[in-house]
Amino acid sequence: MPSVSTPDALDPSAVRGDFPILDQQVHGHPLAYLDNAATSQTPTPVLEAIQSYYRNDNANVHRGIHELSRRSTDAYEGARMKVARWIGAEDAGEVVWTRGTTEAINLVASAWGAANLEEGDEILLTDMEHHSNLVPWQLVAARTGARLRYLELDDEGRLRLEDLPGILAGGRVRIGAVGHVSNALGTINPVREIARQLHAAGALLLVDGAQGAPHAPVDVAELGADFYAFSGHKMCGPTGIGVLWGRRELLEAMPPYQGGGEMISEVQRDYSTWAELPHKFEAGTPNIAGAVAMGAAVDYLDGVGPERILVHEQGLVRQALEGLQAMPGVRVFGPRDPEGRAGVVPFTMEGTHPHDIATILDSQGVAIRAGHHCAQLVMKRYGVSATARASFYLYNTADDVDRLLDGLESVREIFG
Ligand code: 7TS
């Protein structure tokens, strides 16, 4: 467990010791890694969990009677329980391992959508969704004849919640799919209120938690979510593993997503019956090491304290916003109040393409992302083709933010 300076504050310099990758020079400068919304770094206990799994326990799960298979199954199912606790789910059978957020959303759009949507039904999306929470719904809409409705954004990057009652009044919305936190704006969405209104209208809510679960305490029941999707690699775990949480009765009623081994109860020539939850949705040999490592990542984050992570990030956001707002020609996207946003700071600089900003920062060892961030509807809404984006996590320091701001000063000098 990383040490912290006071019971309440997270000390990022103590945490950094757990992340060996951060201790390196890039282009002759110490690395300032500010691309955490894309993927986070991996602490030593998680690296060790992966190695230990392959060194000591590797075997396929739920199959053999032998000792290694028993151990790998215990580790795999134990990790599921840890992840369930991380999001406040009491029933680990409601936690389905997936490849990540994208696959979790595709699972719901495909399996739930095919069984529940028909022509004239509506799916509520928002203009701030990541493409992972748009395209799967477009595909199921094309297959079923359902229609997509959109909640629009205000000038500060918040959802226009005042439009929701009007959309729901039509009585055709069956499901809403809304991000917990926007990767392109940093906005923390009022998920609880959206859930309340959707449920009152007889609709369900899927929450895209890719940028939520890694950064703040999550309680799926308290949020009022019916489905919650997130990825291991954005929360100190490895790539290729993620989670779909869903309410048991909904998952029970859904048809399988993929067919294959592990997900059946009995196979006949013409039909099969399905395994119990959550295995019904886990066809084929799963990413066992990934799941075990995601469990280790949850243990690690739990040790730091999820409520500290968001507070720490918001402090860095405040520092970044103050610096950016003082720079002429800089436009910051998303809510002005740091309390309304998680650790994502997108911006543009007049006369400079975001890719040039990112390239110059990279030459100074500062890693940010530039582009549309898989949120082209956000870019369209604010009339830009791309933004530069700094995104923070528990190991980022005030010095990292200073390096960003100093780097941007040099960008301004180069581009005049
Ligand atoms: N939803 C949101 C809100 C995201 O930010 C991302 C990834 C995804 C879904 C997809 O997650 P995956 O793990 O299945 O790929 N976001 C980003 C990003 O902002 N930059 O790179 C990936």
Side-chain angles (χ1 to χ4, degrees), residues 224-302:
D226 297 294
F227 300 102
Y228 193 94
F230 56 111
S231 298
H233 71 96
K234 293 188 199 288
M235 46 191 293
C236 298
T239 52
I241 189 76
V243 166
L244 171 70
W245 170 84
R247 284 202 291 117
R248 176 171 278 275
E249 71 212 68
L250 298 172
L251 294 175
E252 299 267 19
M254 278 158 59
Y257 173 51
Q258 294 179 330
E262 301 259 339
M263 52 75 71
I264 52 87
S265 168
E266 196 189 324
V267 175
Q268 302 288 350
R269 273 194 165 161
D270 298 324
Y271 72 95
S272 300
T273 54
W274 315 135
E276 294 294 314
L277 287 180
H279 310 293
K280 180 171 91 174
F281 293 108
E282 293 179 0
T285 299
N287 180 356
I288 307 164
V292 171
M294 189 165 172
V298 164
D299 279 346
Y300 179 81
L301 292 172
D302 219 16

Side-chain angles (χ1 to χ4, degrees), residues 53 57-61 66-70 72-73 288:
Y53 171 76
D57 305 324
N58 182 43
N60 214 326
V61 288
H66 61 80
E67 171 65 15
L68 293 195
S69 177
R70 190 191 57 71
S72 77
T73 302
I288 307 164

Side-chain angles (χ1 to χ4, degrees), residues 45-129:
V46 175
L47 298 172
E48 285 173 354
I50 297 169
Q51 202 183 37
S52 168
Y53 171 76
Y54 278 119
R55 265 182 176 270
N56 303 309
D57 305 324
N58 182 43
N60 214 326
V61 288
H62 307 135
R63 286 169 207 237
I65 299 171
H66 61 80
E67 171 65 15
L68 293 195
S69 177
R70 190 191 57 71
R71 274 194 235 147
S72 77
T73 302
D74 285 353
Y76 180 70
E77 293 303 330
R80 194 192 304 276
M81 283 189 249
K82 291 177 186 181
V83 167
R85 274 200 297 277
W86 180 254
I87 55 168
E90 280 164 25
D91 178 359
E94 296 180 332
V95 170
V96 177
W97 294 116
T98 65
R99 281 195 299 121
T101 307
T102 302
E103 190 178 51
I105 296 171
N106 273 280
L107 192 166
V108 178
S110 183
W112 181 89
N116 291 282
L117 292 172
E118 54 188 42
E119 189 151 0
D121 284 346
E122 293 176 353
I123 301 163
L124 175 75
L125 304 171
T126 88
D127 277 339
M128 71 166 77
E129 297 316 308

Side-chain angles (χ1 to χ4, degrees), residues 159-216:
L159 294 175
R160 283 177 50 93
L161 212 53
E162 61 272 30
D163 297 342
L164 186 54
I167 295 172
L168 296 176
R172 299 310 306 256
V173 175
R174 297 282 168 262
I175 192 164
V178 177
H180 194 173
V181 172
S182 161
N183 71 313
L185 293 162
T187 320
I188 302 175
N189 284 323
V191 170
R192 217 169 284 115
E193 175 56 20
I194 295 170
R196 194 189 64 73
Q197 293 197 35
L198 281 170
H199 291 158
L204 300 177
L205 175 64
L206 174 140
V207 179
D208 171 354
Q211 304 289 349
H215 301 280

Side-chain angles (χ1 to χ4, degrees), residues 262-349:
E262 301 259 339
M263 52 75 71
I264 52 87
S265 168
E266 196 189 324
V267 175
Q268 302 288 350
R269 273 194 165 161
D270 298 324
Y271 72 95
S272 300
T273 54
W274 315 135
E276 294 294 314
L277 287 180
H279 310 293
K280 180 171 91 174
F281 293 108
E282 293 179 0
T285 299
N287 180 356
I288 307 164
V292 171
M294 189 165 172
V298 164
D299 279 346
Y300 179 81
L301 292 172
D302 219 16
V304 177
E307 53 300 312
R308 285 180 170 145
I309 296 173
L310 183 64
V311 171
H312 172 67
E313 287 177 11
Q314 285 176 331
L316 298 175
V317 167
R318 197 168 293 116
Q319 182 191 350
L321 291 182
E322 278 169 18
L324 288 169
Q325 277 153 2
M327 279 183 204
V330 169
R331 177 180 175 197
V332 180
F333 298 78
R336 273 189 278 280
D337 177 6
E339 302 277 310
R341 59 196 298 162
V344 175
V345 181
F347 59 94
T348 53
M349 294 175 88

